[in-house]
């Protein structure tokens, strides 16, 4: 009996040593350690079966078991060292989850801008651009806003000199496009604009707009409504309704502002839409005859509509952000969420 048990212990030792030598990484070594030295190991099983033996026999088998355990611990440590050296000193634990590499991503404003542009491109608009440093003429005068016109107060302007300024809106690009193209003109004009306003959660000294212009023979207010309604359905969703409210801009007559049904509360009323169920998203109107003339287009022959929207405002609403400054601080905790 005694000899049999001793042989069994030696067999376990031999197979453990062979398995440890074959262990290819720390994880399998760890598993072998618990298999051969843990509470439920084969050695423990063997020791449980010696209860009936004499005290002397128990002592000699117990001593052998302890020697084997010590030996196995030593062999495991040796193998762990060997594995560590073979990985250049870096412990390799294949059970750990992998480290995901950080990848770059688009800024929420870029995403919003791209989505807005793609809706208009699908509707047949092309993209035009104009300068951010603009003349007073294009920013105001050509848009039917002469010096001292009260509408100039609607936009606080950064003047670089009495004649040169940072454009306050993308509308001046309308006149530049009219001067360089013949109707039919169907263009959107995205870009940065600047306002000398106090920075707050709702306004920032720079932001982005998308301007739109359509000039051809016989363009009517019905075309304007149809186009903007299609845009709203294409961007916000096919069931979202629009509402046109009369408004004033010097460069359009008549002028309107467009509201969309609040997509945050399904028009039921929430703090964002101030419980009205509607969100204002853009200004628009029929291009004023004076503006067509300044663009070199005969208002007797052609008519057109124009619109302009703030990209930040749409992005704030879309992503449920409550502070415009977050777009410009580039705090990775914020921008990496998109
Ligand atoms: N330029 C205006 C602004 O910044 C927005 C605007 C309103 C543009 C009506 C338009 C328009 O083209 O027709 O507030």
């Amino acid at each position: 009996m005694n000899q049999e048990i001793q042989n069994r212990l030696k067999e376990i030792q031999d197979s453990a040593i062979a398995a440890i030598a074959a262990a290819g990484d720390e994880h399998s070594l760890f598993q072998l350690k618990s298999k051969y030295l843990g509470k439920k190991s084969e050695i423990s099983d063997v020791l449980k079966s010696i209860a009936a033996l004499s005290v002397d026999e128990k002592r000699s088998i117990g001593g052998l078991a302890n020697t084997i355990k010590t030996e196995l611990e030593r062999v495991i440590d040796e193998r762990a060292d060997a594995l560590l050296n073979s990985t250049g000193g870096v412990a390799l634990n294949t059970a750990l989850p992998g480290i995901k590499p950080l990848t770059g991503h688009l800024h929420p404003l870029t995403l919003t801008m791209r989505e807005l542009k793609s809706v208009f491109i699908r509707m047949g608009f092309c993209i035009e651009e104009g300068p951010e440093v603009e003349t007073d003429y294009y920013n105001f005068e050509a848009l039917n806003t002469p010096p001292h016109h009260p509408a100039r107060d609607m936009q606080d302007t950064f003047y670089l000199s009495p004649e040169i300024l940072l454009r306050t809106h993308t509308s001046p690009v309308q006149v530049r496009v009219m001067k360089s193209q013949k109707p039919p003109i169907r263009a959107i004009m995205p870009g940065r604009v600047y306002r000398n306003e106090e920075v707050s959660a709702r306004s920032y000294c720079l932001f982005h707009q998308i301007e739109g212009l359509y000039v051809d023979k016989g363009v009517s207010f019905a075309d304007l409504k149809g186009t903007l309604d299609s845009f709203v359905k294409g961007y916000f969703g096919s069931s979202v309704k629009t509402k046109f409210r009369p408004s004033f801009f010097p460069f359009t007559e008549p002028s309107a502002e467009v509201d969309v049904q609040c997509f945050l509360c399904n028009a039921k009323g929430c703090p964002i839409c101030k419980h009205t169920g509607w969100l204002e998203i853009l200004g628009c109107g029929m291009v004023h005859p004076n503006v067509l003339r300044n663009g070199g287009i005969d208002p007797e022959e052609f008519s057109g509509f124009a619109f302009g929207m703030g990209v930040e405002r749409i992005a704030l609403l879309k992503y449920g952000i409550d502070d415009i400054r977050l777009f410009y601080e580039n705090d990775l905790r914020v921008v990496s969420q998109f």
Side-chain angles (χ1 to χ4, degrees):
M1 178 69 176
N2 190 352
Q3 192 55 46
E4 217 175 277
I5 295 176
Q6 291 192 8
N7 290 345
R8 175 75 196 119
L9 285 175
K10 292 215 167 100
E11 269 170 35
I12 297 173
Q13 180 182 23
D14 290 345
S15 66
I17 289 177
I20 292 164
D25 57 53
E26 275 216 332
H27 179 58
S28 29
L29 200 55
F30 179 77
Q31 284 180 327
L32 289 174
K33 191 171 183 175
S34 85
K35 178 173 174 193
Y36 289 106
L37 299 174
K39 275 194 186 146
K40 291 184 181 157
S41 68
E42 289 173 75
I43 296 181
S44 305
D45 285 347
V46 172
L47 291 178
K48 275 178 211 149
S49 70
I50 64 172
L53 299 185
S54 72
V55 175
D56 279 352
E57 281 175 322
K58 276 192 204 162
R59 191 174 294 140
S60 85
I61 289 175
L64 176 65
N66 281 338
T67 315
I68 292 177
K69 280 187 180 175
T70 315
E71 172 64 3
L72 290 184
E73 270 168 19
R74 192 189 61 76
V75 176
I76 287 173
D77 286 348
E78 214 174 74
R79 183 70 193 137
D81 281 348
L83 283 174
L84 193 60
N85 289 334
S86 72
T87 55
V90 180
L92 185 66
N93 184 349
T94 53
L96 282 175
I99 299 168
K100 222 173 150 190
L102 277 179
T103 49
H105 54 85
L106 295 172
H107 190 280
L109 282 180
T110 311
L111 283 171
T112 309
M113 190 66 119
R114 284 194 181 181
E115 285 165 12
L116 290 169
K117 280 188 204 168
S118 90
V119 176
F120 284 112
I121 288 169
R122 273 182 272 146
M123 290 167 74
F125 284 77
C126 61
I127 295 183
E128 298 291 344
E129 279 178 4
E132 291 176 24
V133 177
E134 190 49 287
T135 59
D136 183 274
Y137 174 77
Y138 279 108
N139 197 79
F140 290 122
E141 278 204 62
L143 292 167
N144 204 31
T145 319
H148 311 298
H149 190 290
R152 286 197 178 210
D153 291 345
M154 288 161 78
Q155 304 175 351
D156 299 308
T157 311
F158 283 115
Y159 278 93
L160 303 180
S161 75
E163 275 305 312
I164 311 286
L165 46 77
L166 295 180
R167 69 179 177 192
T168 55
H169 51 178
T170 42
S171 303
V173 192
Q174 284 185 36
V175 186
R176 291 182 176 274
V177 168
M178 284 191 264
K179 277 186 146 180
S180 64
Q181 294 180 21
K182 287 197 161 43
I185 297 171
R186 203 188 296 162
I188 56 163
M189 295 145 267
R192 273 185 178 199
V193 303
Y194 300 82
R195 302 238 178 131
N196 192 0
E197 276 170 20
E198 201 176 321
V199 172
S200 71
R202 298 180 147 263
S203 66
Y204 199 67
C205 46
L206 74 95
F207 55 100
H208 295 76
Q209 288 187 333
I210 295 184
E211 193 78 15
L213 177 69
Y214 181 30
V215 180
D216 201 355
K217 284 188 176 148
V219 175
S220 69
F221 202 91
D223 296 315
L224 167 63
K225 287 182 83 171
T227 304
L228 291 180
D229 193 53
S230 299
F231 156 69
V232 166
K233 292 192 158 57
Y235 184 77
F236 293 101
S238 54
S239 59
V240 175
K241 289 192 177 137
T242 46
K243 181 163 81 173
F244 286 70
R245 268 182 299 106
S247 185
F248 172 79
F249 300 100
F251 31 90
T252 44
E253 182 57 39
S255 304
E257 277 168 306
V258 173
D259 297 345
V260 297
Q261 274 182 325
C262 181
F263 47 88
L264 298 161
C265 63
N266 275 328
K268 290 190 181 72
C270 67
I272 305 288
C273 62
K274 301 200 181 83
H275 302 283
T276 61
W278 295 94
L279 298 166
E280 184 201 316
I281 56 151
L282 58 83
C284 62
M286 300 305 293
V287 182
H288 195 287
N290 288 347
V291 178
L292 287 172
R293 245 177 248 120
N294 290 335
I297 290 171
D298 180 1
E300 300 296 325
E301 197 183 348
F302 295 102
S303 57
F305 67 72
F307 55 88
M309 66 188 79
V311 178
E312 275 76 356
R313 183 170 160 73
I314 291 175
L316 287 172
L317 294 170
K318 181 164 179 202
Y319 295 117
I321 301 173
D322 58 7
D323 192 326
I324 191 171
R325 292 168 289 195
L326 291 172
F327 287 136
Y328 291 93
E329 285 164 359
N330 284 329
D331 183 334
L332 283 181
R333 289 170 301 180
V334 176
V335 291
S336 62
Q337 292 180 44
F338 300 92

